[in-house]
Amino acid sequence: MRPKTLQVILGHANVGITMNLYVHVTEDEKVKEVEKIESALKIV
């Protein structure tokens, strides 16, 4: 679900509250994103 939509549904004053409470990053997600950056920059 898009964070802004969730903010409205939950009645939060701003999306920052929603993001801080409900959005979490796993180690696997971090590794995948770093790999994307490496690929884009051609770093191996």
Side-chain angles (χ1 to χ4, degrees):
M1 179 180 300
R2 293 177 30 202
K4 190 68 177 176
T5 303
L6 185 57
Q7 171 205 345
V8 172
I9 291 169
L10 296 175
H12 293 154
N14 64 64
V15 75
I17 294 170
T18 309
M19 296 295 288
N20 288 333
L21 289 174
Y22 297 103
V23 178
H24 306 286
V25 178
T26 66
E27 283 300 316
D28 186 50
E29 290 170 327
K30 286 193 279 186
V31 168
K32 286 179 184 177
E33 295 304 320
V34 169
E35 288 172 350
K36 288 179 188 177
I37 292 168
E38 290 173 340
S39 178
L41 297 174
K42 306 288 187 224
I43 298 172
V44 179

